[in-house]
């Protein structure tokens, strides 16, 4: 994703110095017009004063260690932007640490996936107003249009809004998935789901970008025969659930969307086995054995 | 909605004869260019041969009695289209009854709400292929574009697909609502929900028509102070749940979206009182009395 | 279950004439002291006046056809008791049909499973008061004690109360199952679930008969290695969900308990595949293929 | 609860020195036979060597500050037992701190509520085996019988098991509450819920201690007219949800039980208002205003 963002910035006339641990990614960025650094030190050395560093690495340890390095290597007034999917509470903590050194830390929740290169990225920015203004040309170049980026609030709020965005996304996806499964189950109607999702794109209440993508995918593979029903989750959904519980705000549908993914990730459900055991114990119900499957 | 649809058809050059129980609605249709009938008999008399009647009345008794009348008054080969939100099983039953008389019954799930007049309606049509072809100019005129209407399957399938559409709609709406509530609860960030929903319209994964409307509404009334949190439901959501249970297909998120509406419709929850009673009984927990509220 | 109930009645001094389609079951009942009839006609002929027939067959068609036969063969004032798990709306309908002929139909929701023979059955009876009084010695013999049977209301209410009972049972079972799974997942504590469920039986808030059975089962097979996580459902759970939706009463936990069983019954979830497709479509996320599993 | 536990210990022949911030509670404990200390220092001074201190204060700050004081005032080999509802991760952390000083920290999850005084408390103990053995006479006196207390695992596991216990309790309670509400809604049957809950206590699958209490409560107040449907939650339920999400274990029913309580605690649901706004925006649906209520 970082590579695509660099490409979009270069196309908009920005000069980029890029660093990535992978030689392949560095070569790719170079071929797209980025100047390439071989180390983080080289990268920093290559930047002009009031250095601006956009970090786009996996959340957790990779982001933490990258930010620690930058904290040591950068100087007062420099600006670091975390465009990854970090936990907003980490971003709040990091914001304080950078502020103590007179540096600026911005958290930029970034949505758009692989389509962002061509269509632009939706950016939810948290952090100091002056710093946001300073780097706003970057946001303007990445976003699809002037309304596609926003300074939403203080440090942490960018990743918080992105977290909630993803929670909503989980809920929407699950709603579509359930509806499609129900239509598929009604075999007597012989419904063509590719045609119906395409239909809904035109004038229906449920039209959306997710529906656009789904219709396109189903056109090529309506039965999804080769796809596993194992559904990964990438952190923000779980964080949304935890945050809602801590806030005392009921978010049952978002939560259940996450839980159905967790369920899909189980090979064997011990809870299911417990239910079978109970049914056998009170009702003498014959229950399925693993060996029956 | 029927009036708006008539208007859209007239604009497309169709000649319409309209009947409505309400004098006001008849006048309104007349002023939009429809010929007006004062009774159902007059309406039928005014139609040319191979009569086509579009029924747009509330589901349940009003639709049932209207269709019964048409069954008696129409002749072989005539076509009746139910564009309302009837239960698909009723439509299947009605399709058989019309077929026995050599007539044609089409069920047209219709989405688009008050925006359909200008933007066009998304139409999900169930029924006999020849009859659908015969009346396809109507569908073409109502739909936003040639992809905006579809013959999805046999009688009943149109309302079935519309039912599932509405179930999905309930789930999507609930996902957005939960996310917005969670952002509002995070007071420390002082988030502007009107700005954020507008932002998400540009390049984010959750962009959708429902989001477009929500952003517009919040622009004018971000606090929604005057709106009740009582949320009505209109049948299709409940039917989707019942159907999924009967089919043995888990649709937990759609279901829970319906249930949160049911919960919002309760003035006092007896279940909640039972929980208070239990807490008091086992833990001696002081529980709230109605008089404390 | 019918055989066990006959045995319990015989032990209490009742004279029983039994009929079952299976020769094996007839022999078994005979060896327990029941007089055996080879046909339904023989059974009816063998009963003294004001005949009382207890029907204990699977719900749906078997019950329907048995009751139709009895309706033809029995006389005014005779009493039929449906002790199976029929849908309460069927029982209401049947109650009316029997009443039209001057006969009495009682619906007896029966709980107790394989333990009822020794511990007694909990009986929830719907129907005419005089008829209930007439056959009350039967209920008294089947129940564990005088409080273990109750005339709860008019025809249908017995099966309705039993239906809700089973809905609650689903919810309780699921709650235990989730808790046990969570404890098992916390590997660092090395918890012994057999010991913990036994512990909870003594003084804890969650002690129950279901817990008694679970603790006993886990003692013999703590890992449940041979049990499948496929969990069957037997009708009442689904009916409870449908009824709650029709009544507009939110029953989210009971509902979700049913849905988790439905999920366990799926070999491949198309909804899961749809989610994988979407993730791939918007994020380019590598998704699992069936061939990876 | 601490007072009741002291009384139960005194009845079993233990000598107790008690301290409480409230003069009233101290007097009460004194009248029940406890020696009373006026300060924590006095309490510690009054204890014989290898001092054993049972802490029974609200979780969070009160427990934290009490344990900090004990850490300073006690000596090597002394034993502190936290019998409150602390978060198990706090207990793990505290266990390490006490261990660094050569002291022993045990976490004792305690269930039984106001009934524990007479019926005994169910105790789930985490911590060092030797320390558990040393204080086992205390556990034996508090528990209803020798099976009513258990050393479940290392420090933290006691409160963890208690946390899950409470999560299960939430799910069970919600299941009963939903079922009772559904029966109450079926007005045509005129069901007497006090009688039905009493009935279920005798031989049914859903019999439990919670049902015992519910039946007793409903006997005195079947309509629960004065009880609010506001349902408090006390921490363990939320922690169970958070822990399950962090573990990746689906616990949907326990979670939803917590969320329905959170919903009951809302005066106005902003999510509900958002749904009303959407319905109005797309369908022109008349929506309730606050002023209509």
């Amino acid at each position: 994703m970082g590579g695509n963002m660099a490409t979009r910035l270069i196309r908009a006339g920005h000069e980029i110095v890029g660093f990535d641990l992978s030689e392949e990614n560095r070569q790719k960025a170079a071929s797209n017009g980025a100047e390439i650094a071989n180390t983080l030190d080289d990268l920093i050395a290559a930047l002009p004063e009031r250095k601006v560093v956009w970090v786009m690495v996996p959340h957790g340890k990779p982001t933490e260690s990258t930010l620690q390095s930058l904290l040591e290597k950068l100087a007062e007034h420099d600006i670091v932007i975390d465009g990854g999917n970090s936990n907003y509470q980490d971003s709040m903590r990091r914001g304080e640490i950078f502020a103590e050194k007179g540096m600026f830390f911005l958290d930029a929740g970034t949505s758009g996936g692989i389509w962002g290169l061509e269509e632009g990225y939706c950016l939810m920015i948290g952090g100091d107003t002056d710093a946001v203004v300073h780097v706003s040309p970057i946001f303007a170049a990445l976003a699809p249009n002037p309304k596609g980026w926003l300074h939403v609030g203080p440090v942490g709020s960018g990743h918080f809004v992105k977290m909630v965005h993803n929670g909503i996304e989980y809920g929407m996806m699950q709603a579509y998935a359930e509806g499609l499964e129900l239509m598929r189950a009604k075999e007597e109607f012989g419904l063509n789901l590719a045609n119906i999702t395409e239909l809904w794109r035109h004038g229906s209440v449920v039209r959306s970008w997710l529906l656009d993508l789904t219709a396109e995918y189903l056109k090529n593979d309506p039965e999804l025969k080769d796809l596993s029903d194992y559904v990964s989750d990438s952190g923000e959904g779980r964080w949304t659930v935890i945050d809602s519980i801590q806030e005392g705000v009921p978010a049952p549908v978002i939560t259940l969307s996450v839980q159905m993914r967790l369920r899909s990730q189980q090979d064997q459900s011990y809870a299911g086995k417990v239910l079978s055991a109970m049914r056998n114990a009170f009702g003498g119900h014959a229950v399925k054995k693993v060996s029956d499957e």
Side-chain angles (χ1 to χ4, degrees), chain A:
Chain A
M1 197 157 172
N4 278 348
M5 295 174 83
T7 302
R8 190 168 169 95
L9 286 169
I10 291 162
R11 287 185 189 169
H14 288 271
E15 290 174 51
I16 299 286
V17 190
F19 171 64
D20 190 289
L21 290 174
S22 136
E23 171 65 21
E24 187 188 339
N25 286 345
R26 288 202 299 270
Q27 291 305 330
K28 203 169 156 198
S31 72
N32 285 327
E35 182 183 338
I36 295 302
N38 286 315
T39 66
L40 194 55
D41 284 311
D42 287 355
L43 177 133
I44 290 168
L47 293 175
E49 282 319 291
R50 193 151 198 199
K51 297 170 191 296
V52 176
V53 182
W54 185 292
V55 178
M56 203 73 190
V57 297
H59 71 78
K61 279 195 182 165
T63 295
E64 186 69 24
S65 67
T66 304
L67 293 176
Q68 281 299 335
S69 299
L70 290 172
L71 199 63
E72 288 161 21
K73 295 173 197 292
L74 292 175
E76 218 178 342
H77 303 302
D78 287 348
I79 298 173
V80 172
I81 308 165
D82 177 6
N85 276 323
S86 294
N87 186 299
Y88 80 93
Q89 287 167 324
D90 285 334
S91 298
M92 291 173 76
R93 174 176 54 77
R94 289 162 184 162
E96 284 181 26
I97 297 171
F98 275 84
E100 283 165 15
K101 291 217 173 184
M103 302 174 191
F104 295 91
F105 177 81
L106 305 180
D107 52 312
T110 305
S111 183
I114 53 177
W115 299 81
L117 172 58
E118 300 305 334
E119 302 199 359
Y121 298 91
C122 181
L123 297 168
M124 309 148 225
I125 319 290
D128 176 80
T129 301
D130 288 342
V132 170
V133 170
H134 186 75
V135 297
S136 59
I138 300 175
F139 301 141
L142 289 171
N145 62 50
K147 289 182 167 179
W149 73 271
L150 185 70
H151 180 205
V152 296
V155 174
S157 65
H159 281 145
F160 175 78
V161 171
K162 176 60 173 18
M163 177 193 85
V164 175
H165 166 281
N166 282 30
I168 292 171
E169 177 193 312
Y170 277 47
M172 292 172 67
M173 290 171 70
Q174 179 70 21
Y176 283 120
E178 291 176 7
L180 293 185
E181 182 163 55
L182 186 54
M183 288 195 291
R184 184 165 174 276
K186 193 65 86 186
E187 293 177 7
E188 63 200 279
F189 286 149
L191 301 171
N192 181 316
L193 300 188
N195 290 351
I196 289 170
T197 46
E198 176 62 36
L199 166 68
W200 285 349
R201 296 181 60 216
H202 306 278
S204 93
V205 171
V206 301
R207 60 194 192 258
S208 73
W209 189 63
L210 280 167
L211 183 66
D212 297 345
L213 299 177
T214 305
E216 189 63 29
Y217 202 106
L218 289 172
K219 233 165 261 175
N220 301 316
D221 181 10
E223 275 304 303
L224 307 176
K225 274 205 200 79
D226 294 334
L227 286 185
S228 166
D229 63 357
Y230 178 106
V231 191
S232 297
D233 73 292
S234 55
E236 297 87 356
R238 297 191 191 194
W239 298 336
T240 308
V241 176
I242 292 171
D243 201 75
S244 70
I245 292 289
Q246 286 170 336
E247 286 284 339
V249 171
V253 153
I254 291 175
T255 299
L256 198 43
S257 303
V258 173
Q259 287 168 325
M260 293 311 283
R261 293 198 181 188
L262 300 183
R263 179 65 182 81
S264 84
Q265 297 166 12
Q266 294 185 309
D267 190 33
Q268 282 273 311
S269 158
Y270 187 75
K273 288 165 174 264
V274 170
L275 293 173
S276 289
M278 285 185 182
R279 294 187 78 242
N280 183 257
F282 68 73
H285 296 291
V287 290
K288 267 200 172 180
K289 304 282 176 177
V290 170
S291 51
D292 301 336
E293 291 179 346

